Amino acid sequence: MVRAELVCKDFGALKVLRGITLDVQKGQVLVLVGPSGSGKSTFLRCINHLETISAGRLYVDGELVGYRERGGKLHEMKPSDVAKQRRDVGMVFQHFNLFPHRTALGNVIEAPTQVKGIKKGQALERGKDLLEQVGLADKAEAYPAQLSGGQQQRVAIARALAMDPKLMLFDEPTSALDPELVGEVLGVMKKLASEGMTMVVVTHEMGFAREVADEIVFMDGGVVVEHGDPVEVMTNPQHERTKAFLSKVM
């Protein structure tokens, strides 16, 4: 579903990604962990071309992301073509980014009606179903300001799912939440994983990584230091940098 080949990203002189190569299989949950500034969120944003890459290739479902290749050179796509690619990739951010003037249900149906042209009646039915799936059937008419952080993040997940994505990206989806609200969001993510959704998750929730991930990737300094089975990596890390990181977060 995702293939990264020697992906690099520079911000001026700052090299944030230094040749990331990894694959995510269809139906797999890949969790990215590592210290702040290791390039995890930047890599996630490159997958749906919110950040352009400086070198390498990124593919989603076999299609080159954000570029067309001609004569061995990459040419950036028009914004309208990039937007079409993004329809298939759901993204949930650290901060919920809900429309404050729309209800929970209004937020969920906005993209399907405006971007996909789905009829409002059909979108409303699907939207209510999605809110029920994330445990918020009774909050359909509530505005974001009337919801807790955990509830807002669950609306954000329902909104991403409303586009029927083939891939879901989660960028530290629980880090802005009070500790007692983290579990309700992770519960929704566990349910998605059990239903076979392909997911790439940046998180500091090591218990979630151990329980749900098919593969864990430890990044530091813009490179993949270590990857493999979550239990194996967490209980028997091979690299000193991985050991040092895990000793602080476990």
Side-chain angles (χ1 to χ4, degrees), residues 6-163:
L6 297 170
V7 171
C8 297
K9 174 62 183 176
D10 306 335
F11 291 101
L14 182 66
K15 296 187 181 302
V16 177
L17 299 177
R18 302 165 178 261
I20 301 289
T21 295
L22 55 81
D23 289 329
V24 185
Q25 305 305 322
K26 190 172 182 182
Q28 186 180 26
V29 179
L30 182 95
V31 171
L32 299 169
V33 300
S36 296
S38 57
K40 309 179 300 294
S41 292
T42 299
F43 176 67
L44 205 68
R45 291 169 66 84
C46 288
I47 293 175
N48 68 353
H49 207 62
L50 286 173
E51 296 288 355
T52 57
I53 60 176
S54 305
R57 303 280 189 280
L58 253 172
Y59 301 87
V60 170
D61 205 14
E63 193 176 336
L64 190 61
V65 173
Y67 299 92
R68 303 203 192 286
E69 191 164 1
R70 289 194 291 272
K73 288 192 173 176
L74 294 185
H75 302 270
E76 194 164 2
M77 286 180 175
K78 292 187 296 189
S80 58
D81 292 332
V82 173
K84 279 179 191 160
Q85 283 190 327
R86 282 203 195 109
R87 291 181 189 183
D88 292 329
V89 181
M91 186 154 185
V92 177
F93 299 89
Q94 185 174 345
H95 299 287
F96 328 119
N97 297 350
L98 297 177
F99 297 117
H101 61 293
R102 295 260 193 278
T103 62
L105 185 56
N107 268 279
V108 173
I109 69 167
E110 181 80 6
T113 53
Q114 298 299 321
V115 179
K116 279 193 164 178
I118 290 170
K119 290 193 171 120
K120 191 167 181 186
Q122 188 184 341
L124 284 168
E125 202 172 306
R126 169 92 168 119
K128 286 174 185 171
D129 180 49
L130 286 167
L131 286 174
E132 188 172 344
Q133 283 181 42
V134 299
L136 292 173
D138 59 334
K139 298 291 184 185
E141 298 308 316
Y143 287 89
Q146 299 168 310
L147 301 172
S148 71
Q151 289 169 334
Q152 288 186 62
Q153 192 61 295
R154 285 187 281 155
V155 172
I157 293 172
R159 178 178 62 177
L161 292 173
M163 292 293 281

Side-chain angles (χ1 to χ4, degrees), residues 168-237:
M168 285 284 284
L169 308 176
F170 292 88
D171 188 8
E172 298 195 26
T174 59
S175 64
L177 300 178
D178 292 334
E180 68 269 22
L181 301 177
V182 168
E184 61 190 56
V185 173
L186 293 181
V188 171
M189 293 170 66
K190 286 175 189 173
K191 183 167 173 278
L192 281 179
S194 72
E195 291 165 356
M197 174 62 77
T198 311
M199 296 160 57
V200 183
V201 184
V202 172
T203 187
H204 295 294
E205 299 290 339
M206 303 307 288
F208 172 83
R210 182 193 287 258
E211 186 180 344
V212 180
D214 298 297
E215 183 173 6
I216 193 166
V217 172
F218 172 66
M219 286 177 63
D220 193 18
V223 300
V224 172
V225 176
E226 190 164 349
H227 67 94
D229 175 78
V231 175
E232 181 64 27
V233 170
M234 286 186 198
T235 56
N236 189 28

